[in-house]
Amino acid sequence: MSDTVVPLASPAAVPAAIRHDWTLAEIQAIHDMPLLDLVHRAGSVHRAHNDPADIQRAALLSIKTGGCPEDCAYCPQSAHHKGANLPRERLMPVDAVLKEAAAAKANGAHRFCMGAAWRKPKDGPEFDAVLEMVRGVRGLGMEACVTLGMLTQSQAQRLAEAGLTSYNHNLDTGPEFYGDIISTRTYEDRLQTLEHVREAGIGVCCGGIVGMGERVRDRAEMLQVLANHAPHPESVPINALVAVEGTPLEDRPPIDPLDLVRMCATARIVMPRARVRLSAGRKSLTREAQILCFLAGANSIFYGERLLTTANNEADADAELLRDIGVPVPGLTLAAAE
């Protein structure tokens, strides 16, 4: 494949159409536009398809931590990365998870996301418990999202019947670079799970990570795969690598915050109606960098002090930031799960 980049028309000349036929050259050309032009174009597309004041707040909880048989180079939960020293924890009790969900709702979260460090869930008591968690979160009036690894068709259908709003299964990067990061699961495995999720009628949450040593071309390839799905994923998380000690990527330098702005903007342009989720790595961003991501079309954040295994911004700081840019955060109580 050629690295030739095709020049695009000026931002004002390009309609905010929903497309599923993006070329790699087009996406890379968008990503590499002058930054002010890129943010302007992305913001225009965003406002044509979304309410810019609608920034969703999602809370994330690790319901089963560590001991994962996958070898993802960025992840301290992998059993392959002994140096990460992450304690293994069994699946949390349903009641404890629902208390966390209720506290997240009281703190202003709209969606509750639950992650289990499995390669793929086994049918049985633990999967049944996850179904009960999903039903409980929906009973609280929140959206429910889980990430459990690879799914069978029947498991996806059971999650749909339990009321699951969305299933997270990231591609992580483009197909050419993928083998440098993961060897225990193929790209096709990931796409098959996304197909099972879509066939079950569950929303798709799928994005990737920047800062793992990939090229801009690899980032564009990942967005091309997502943008050429019909329909587009309902949610597209854009994560910056959090380099964790003991993982193969522990020495990777932090990315330039403007790389995240570019990825959020490009994702917004090629997937106009998706929730572009400013996800892991946000703690290292200044308020101004986060606001630039919102201008570029990001319209969701993880809300709460922890992600699966890494720190996140504090909820009160996030509430202050959102209020300062004119996004209301009603009913904030900073409740704790007891």
Side-chain angles (χ1 to χ4, degrees):
M1 297 178 69
S2 171
D3 282 331
T4 303
V5 174
V6 177
L8 294 181
S10 66
V14 182
I18 304 295
R19 292 177 50 190
H20 307 282
D21 61 349
W22 291 96
T23 68
L24 178 60
E26 284 180 305
I27 295 175
Q28 191 166 341
I30 290 169
H31 179 281
D32 292 343
M33 288 172 64
L35 184 64
L36 295 183
D37 289 343
L38 175 61
V39 172
H40 172 68
R41 177 175 170 182
S44 299
V45 171
H46 184 44
R47 288 172 178 270
H49 292 275
N50 307 284
D51 176 359
D54 177 19
I55 298 177
Q56 188 185 64
R57 300 177 292 280
L60 177 60
L61 177 67
S62 179
I63 58 174
K64 184 271 176 188
T65 304
C68 181
E70 304 281 17
D71 67 354
C72 308
Y74 53 81
C75 186
Q77 301 206 63
S78 171
H80 296 260
H81 309 327
K82 307 297 184 184
N85 294 320
L86 185 72
R88 297 188 183 190
E89 298 177 5
R90 294 179 179 273
L91 186 69
M92 291 177 62
V94 173
D95 288 350
V97 171
L98 295 184
K99 285 181 180 178
E100 294 280 356
K105 181 181 180 182
N107 289 338
H110 307 108
R111 173 183 286 215
F112 194 70
C113 306
M114 296 164 278
W118 289 322
R119 171 178 167 78
K120 54 184 177 181
K122 295 179 180 178
D123 292 323
E126 289 192 324
F127 190 71
D128 292 343
V130 172
L131 296 175
E132 190 174 346
M133 293 172 193
V134 170
R135 286 189 287 266
V137 170
R138 294 309 307 275
L140 292 170
M142 304 178 77
E143 294 185 4
C145 180
V146 297
T147 179
L148 312 172
M150 294 182 289
L151 291 181
T152 65
Q153 279 185 311
S154 62
Q155 288 171 335
Q157 188 58 48
R158 292 180 69 194
L159 285 165
E161 291 167 357
L164 187 68
T165 309
S166 186
Y167 192 84
N168 170 254
H169 199 63
N170 289 336
L171 293 178
D172 291 337
T173 189
E176 289 187 20
F177 186 66
Y178 181 85
D180 291 8
I181 300 300
I182 301 157
S183 70
T184 50
R185 187 193 316 184
T186 68
Y187 215 73
E188 198 57 42
D189 288 335
R190 291 183 183 261
L191 293 174
Q192 184 178 63
T193 288
L194 294 178
E195 184 177 338
H196 292 332
V197 168
R198 183 62 79 195
E199 289 175 349
I202 300 169
V204 170
C205 177
C206 186
I209 306 169
V210 297
M212 298 188 293
E214 75 285 348
R215 304 164 298 173
V216 167
R217 177 189 177 92
D218 298 309
R219 299 174 186 179
E221 283 185 343
M222 180 193 73
L223 292 177
Q224 183 192 23
V225 173
L226 295 175
N228 287 351
H229 272 81
H232 293 151
E234 284 76 12
S235 301
V236 180
I238 303 297
N239 299 276
L241 175 70
V242 178
V244 178
E245 185 178 357
T247 66
L249 299 182
E250 64 179 348
D251 293 326
R252 290 296 311 169
I255 67 163
D256 185 327
L258 295 183
D259 286 353
L260 272 184
V261 176
R262 288 188 175 278
M263 281 296 288
C264 289
T266 307
R268 171 54 64 219
I269 291 167
V270 299
M271 291 172 279
R273 295 178 183 160
R275 284 277 183 191
V276 176
R277 300 187 181 276
L278 184 57
S279 301
R282 188 168 62 88
K283 187 174 177 61
S284 64
L285 300 183
T286 64
R287 285 163 51 92
E288 293 78 11
Q290 293 178 67
I291 291 170
L292 196 54
C293 287
F294 296 145
L295 285 172
N299 59 350
S300 178
I301 58 172
F302 279 119
Y303 191 73
E305 294 181 13
R306 288 200 67 76
L307 301 179
L308 290 177
T309 57
T310 56
N312 193 38
N313 300 42
E314 294 183 358
D316 53 353
D318 281 338
E320 182 180 5
L321 171 62
L322 292 174
R323 286 174 177 150
D324 285 349
I325 63 173
V327 176
V329 185
L332 185 69
T333 62
L334 297 181
E338 296 179 356

